[in-house]
Amino acid sequence: MEKTVLITGATSGIGEACARKFAEGGYNVIITGRRAGRLESLRAELEKAGARVRTLQFDVRDAEAASAAVGSLSEEWSRIDVLVNNAGLALGLDKEYEGSQEDWNIMIDTNIKGLLTMTRLIVPGMVERGSGHVINIGSVAGDAAYACGNVYCATKAAVKAITDGLRIDLADTPVRVTNIKPGLVETEFSRVRFHGDNERADNVYKGIKPLTGADIADVVYYAASAPGHVQIAEVLVLATHQASGSVIVRK
Ligand code: NDP
Ligand code: 8X3
């Protein structure tokens, strides 16, 4: 039977790689994000390869827009089997007492409240249908704070607690809940974090072979493909020369 995945933040990085992976696996794919042009070009690429695709352009921080977007799906497309809550970002790398309140608000509104909005919109249908899987993209940053990571790390610690809470609340249903926690993945993440300072962003990946979006998509897809009685609760995925959020060996 055909399955449908909805991926937030599919215009770049991990989300884009997940869209490709699920499309290759035969899923109907709903790709979302704010950048309409990126959504359209990915849709064209995936459709050319034979996939069925829908695009939803909205900002996950705007609960009304998210609700309208999800509500615009036809009955067929609204039967979402897998929700990948991936949209997220870090902004800044500053001491907590020197950080930008605006950056903090954007991270909290996107990484925590946006993820909750999507969960609240989509999980009731999964419960009603008696099947579904929520895969949240957490981070090694949620396991322990690292220097100047403060608020970003807190949002990913919140993703862990929210994921664990959802798993507990769904334990009497067949709906599965997973937290995938990547370490360093080379995407647009650091360009966004450093507000477009590409040189500083590139330095993050110097001297170490980082993970790619495709490496994480493989793990996400593995979790989604496990038999129905197998719930991959949490996976920490690190580059070989990264041992924790703050231990990275560069050569
Ligand atoms: P990218 O910057 O490459 O991609 C981020 C995606 O999130 C984009 O598609 C962007 O789409 C979307 N997004 C951001 N803000 C919003 C918003 N307000 N509304 C809708 N979509 C939004 O980074 P990554 O692929 O690396 O990041 C994906 C997830 O992985 C994030 O949650 C990040 O915290 C997490 N992560 C990343 C790691 C890394 O090292 N790269 C490691 C661990 C976790 P658009 O701009 O079009 O809206
Ligand atoms: C992204 C990984 O280590 O840059 O969550 O915070 S890290």
Side-chain angles (χ1 to χ4, degrees):
M1 208 173 95
E2 283 192 351
K3 288 195 165 188
T4 299
V5 62
L6 186 149
I7 302 160
T8 67
T11 56
S12 170
I14 295 170
E16 185 179 344
C18 286
R20 291 204 176 93
K21 184 77 188 177
F22 278 89
E24 275 166 27
Y27 275 74
N28 298 327
V29 183
I30 305 169
I31 50 176
T32 83
R34 291 167 300 178
R35 286 171 288 180
R38 296 263 190 120
L39 288 173
E40 277 316 308
S41 52
L42 182 58
R43 181 166 74 89
E45 176 199 315
L46 299 179
E47 283 183 345
K48 202 168 164 199
R52 294 182 72 219
V53 183
R54 289 289 178 276
T55 61
L56 295 177
Q57 189 222 346
F58 63 92
D59 186 323
V60 292
R61 291 171 295 171
D62 183 341
E64 270 182 33
S67 175
V70 172
S72 74
L73 292 168
S74 66
E75 205 199 321
E76 179 201 0
W77 281 90
S78 62
R79 286 195 292 272
I80 293 160
D81 298 285
V82 182
L83 166 63
V84 182
N85 268 320
N86 162 78
L89 77 173
L91 286 174
L93 189 68
D94 304 299
K95 289 186 186 290
E96 191 168 314
Y97 58 88
E98 293 173 343
S100 148
Q101 195 123 21
E102 198 191 336
D103 284 353
W104 297 347
N105 286 335
I106 295 171
M107 287 189 279
I108 291 166
D109 288 347
T110 309
N111 301 359
I112 305 177
K113 290 158 83 178
L115 179 144
L116 282 170
T117 294
M118 296 307 295
T119 301
R120 184 67 184 86
L121 283 170
I122 290 167
V123 173
M126 293 178 168
V127 173
E128 209 176 290
R129 292 188 298 279
S131 84
H133 194 163
V134 179
I135 303 180
N136 291 334
I137 306 301
S139 172
V140 65
D143 283 357
Y146 55 76
C148 297
N150 45 70
V151 175
Y152 176 69
C153 295
T155 66
K156 291 300 182 177
V159 170
K160 174 171 169 53
I162 287 164
T163 312
D164 289 346
L166 184 66
R167 192 180 308 107
I168 292 165
D169 295 341
L170 288 168
D172 59 345
T173 79
V175 180
R176 299 180 293 177
V177 184
T178 299
N179 184 13
I180 308 281
K181 306 183 298 181
L184 283 179
V185 188
E186 191 165 11
T187 61
E188 292 175 14
F189 178 83
S190 293
R191 285 164 198 254
V192 172
R193 171 172 240 170
F194 298 127
H195 298 280
D197 182 340
N198 292 346
E199 199 183 325
R200 196 169 171 206
D202 290 345
N203 280 337
V204 172
Y205 311 106
K206 282 244 167 82
I208 183 167
K209 184 169 184 181
L211 299 166
T212 64
D215 294 326
I216 304 305
D218 284 347
V219 180
V220 171
Y221 193 77
Y222 173 79
S225 309
H229 68 288
V230 179
Q231 177 170 227
I232 309 289
E234 196 170 290
V235 187
L236 175 65
V237 193
L238 300 175
T240 301
H241 294 293
Q242 176 171 21
S244 70
S246 45
V247 177
I248 297 165
V249 179
R250 298 177 193 275
K251 293 183 183 167

